Structure formats: C-alpha cells, structure tokens
Amino acid sequence: WYNWVEEVLKNKDRFVMPPKMSIPQDSGNYYHIMPAMYEDENIVTVKMIGRHFLKENEKRPTMMADMLLYEADTGILKALMDAEYITTLRTGVVAAHSAIKFVKKDFDTLGLIGLGNIMTVFFITFINKLRDGNDNRKLVVKLYKHHQSARSSFC
C-alpha cells in the first residue's frame, strides 16, 4: 500500500483531479464528491463520501463512501463499489507516508489520537515501513482516546 501511495504521489501530474465538491447540510451532515481521471488506464472515477450522524438507537457507520468507475473513452459504467474500505486504506497509508517523510530522525515516541480503522492502518503501515528499513528501535506509543475508538479490537 505504501508503494502504491508513493507511486501515485510521484506521478500525480498524470491524474486529472479537480477540487472536491462539498454539499453541507444544516444538521452538520455533509457530502463530498471527488471526481478523478487516469487516462493511462482509461478510467474515470467519482467517489462520494457522506457523514450522517446517528439518530437515536440507530446502528450504522456515520461515514459512508461509494465509488463509480467508468471507462474514460466511452463513458460506460464499469463498477459501483463500496468505497469505505479503500478510503480507510488510502487515508491511513497517506498519513503514514507523510509521517515517514517528515518525522524527526531520532524520534522515540509516537502519539496516536484514537485507534479506529484509519489509525490502525496508519500504525501498521508506519511500523512495517520502519521495519522494512531495518529500523528496530524501541518506541513509546502514546494512545489518546478519541470518541469510542479506543475500544478497537486492535487494543
């Protein structure tokens, strides 16, 4: 995943990615619409993420994401995908990529705010990247609670 992010960032000029559009709602809920095109692979995508707060006794994620995938040269819809998993992966791995690139060289403490799905992906990617570089230093990991994420099965 890390190499995937690295490759895309190095070649970002080969992607057409207009600014995301946002539709806020009075309730504090929102939609984000993110179009992108990668002509090298003849694909266009549109990802829609929405946050919708839970109503009383409702059990579902507050964040939802879907993606449409089109053949770029014909406009034919090729896939409708649940994008929650890929969004979680991308967010966590990009955060790990940034942390690896900008971390202080002699750090010994890692602070995490929450340990939900995104932070779990971040942590695993970050630690694996350190190990790949033969960096086996002992780290102090400080976990700060954020909402109910500290109840993750990862802990």
Side-chain angles (χ1 to χ4, degrees), residues 75-148:
I76 295 172
L77 179 65
K78 293 295 192 175
L80 167 61
M81 304 175 347
D82 179 328
E84 287 180 48
Y85 181 70
I86 196 167
T87 299
T88 298
L89 282 178
R90 187 214 43 92
T91 304
V93 175
V94 167
H97 183 274
S98 295
I100 292 289
K101 293 293 183 193
F102 299 112
V103 72
K104 192 170 97 178
K105 296 294 178 213
D106 59 346
F107 76 97
D108 61 2
T109 302
L110 184 62
L112 307 175
I113 300 174
L115 198 56
N117 293 335
I118 292 171
M119 189 56 76
T120 301
V121 170
F122 164 84
F123 183 75
I124 291 168
T125 303
F126 187 86
I127 296 301
N128 284 340
K129 189 63 181 168
L130 288 180
R131 287 185 182 152
D132 288 349
N134 293 318
D135 186 336
N136 294 312
R137 76 181 92 184
K138 300 233 185 264
L139 295 175
V140 173
V141 178
K142 295 184 177 183
L143 175 62
Y144 299 92
K145 184 177 180 181
H146 184 261
H147 300 297
Q148 297 302 317

Side-chain angles (χ1 to χ4, degrees), residues 18-72:
K20 75 178 164 190
M21 296 170 278
S22 295
I23 302 172
Q25 295 176 288
D26 291 340
S27 62
N29 294 334
Y30 61 79
Y31 290 97
H32 292 316
I33 303 101
M34 294 161 271
M37 181 166 56
Y38 185 46
E39 290 182 286
D40 291 2
E41 295 291 331
N42 194 34
I43 59 172
V44 171
T45 63
V46 179
K47 184 168 79 167
M48 175 117 87
I49 295 177
R51 180 185 71 192
H52 293 84
F53 295 116
L54 297 175
K55 296 176 182 163
E56 192 173 332
N57 297 322
E58 192 174 24
K59 295 187 188 303
R60 61 167 173 75
T62 56
M63 296 295 293
M64 294 171 272
D66 301 298
M67 185 181 293
L68 299 167
L69 177 73
Y70 297 91
E71 192 173 69

